[in-house]
């Protein structure tokens, strides 16, 4: 079960040319969650509503590759201990992984397009 529609979010994130891949992924996910378009990065972070969640997304993006993140996105293999350490709920933890996966996919698509 995905929290966001990754394919739709990928299309939206790729359209945000002036944002780095992580910021574009965060904005695209927040727009889906809020059902609002044209969010700034600050507004997107506000939609996510938890600074710990934003920090977790950045940590995951920097420390894992797309394949590792995808494996951990599965609700059946979610790491409850890591979620507790980051002080996020299960849904927030899974969302963080999805946004980090999305960020990696955006970066990969952009690299391929160049």
């Amino acid at each position: 079960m995905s929290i966001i529609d990754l394919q739709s979010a990928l299309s939206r994130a790729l359209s945000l040319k002036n944002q780095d891949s992580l910021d574009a992924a965060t904005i695209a996910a927040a727009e889906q969650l809020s059902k609002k378009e044209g969010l700034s990065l600050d507004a997107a972070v506000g939609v996510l509503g938890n600074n710990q969640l934003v920090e977790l997304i950045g940590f995951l993006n920097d420390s894992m590759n797309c394949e590792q993140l995808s494996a951990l996105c599965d609700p059946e293999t979610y790491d409850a201990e890591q979620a507790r350490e980051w002080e996020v709920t299960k849904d927030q933890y899974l969302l963080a992984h999805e946004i980090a996966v999305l960020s990696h996919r955006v970066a990969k698509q952009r690299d391929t397009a160049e």
Side-chain angles (χ1 to χ4, degrees), residues 5-104:
D5 176 349
L6 287 173
Q7 191 57 46
S8 173
L10 177 60
S11 294
R12 174 62 179 140
L14 288 170
S15 75
L16 299 169
K17 306 270 188 228
N18 295 328
Q19 301 288 339
D20 71 23
S21 59
L22 182 56
D23 292 349
T26 301
I27 291 168
E31 286 181 350
Q32 269 192 28
L33 293 170
S34 69
K35 299 184 180 5
K36 295 178 183 173
E37 292 185 16
L39 294 179
S40 66
L41 181 59
D42 287 340
V45 168
V47 167
L48 299 178
N50 181 330
N51 285 339
Q52 286 297 105
L53 175 59
V54 173
E55 290 182 26
L56 175 59
I57 294 166
F59 170 77
L60 293 170
N61 184 66
D62 292 344
S63 65
M64 298 179 136
N65 66 35
C66 197
E67 291 75 28
Q68 292 168 317
L69 287 164
S70 294
L72 291 174
C73 262
D74 180 0
E76 301 303 315
T77 59
Y78 125 92
D79 187 341
E81 182 60 32
Q82 188 177 45
R84 258 192 307 280
E85 287 175 15
W86 281 94
E87 299 175 1
V88 296
T89 66
K90 180 178 181 177
D91 284 346
Q92 289 172 326
Y93 180 83
L94 296 173
L95 177 61
H97 277 82
E98 288 183 356
I99 293 172
V101 165
L102 179 59
S103 173
H104 281 277

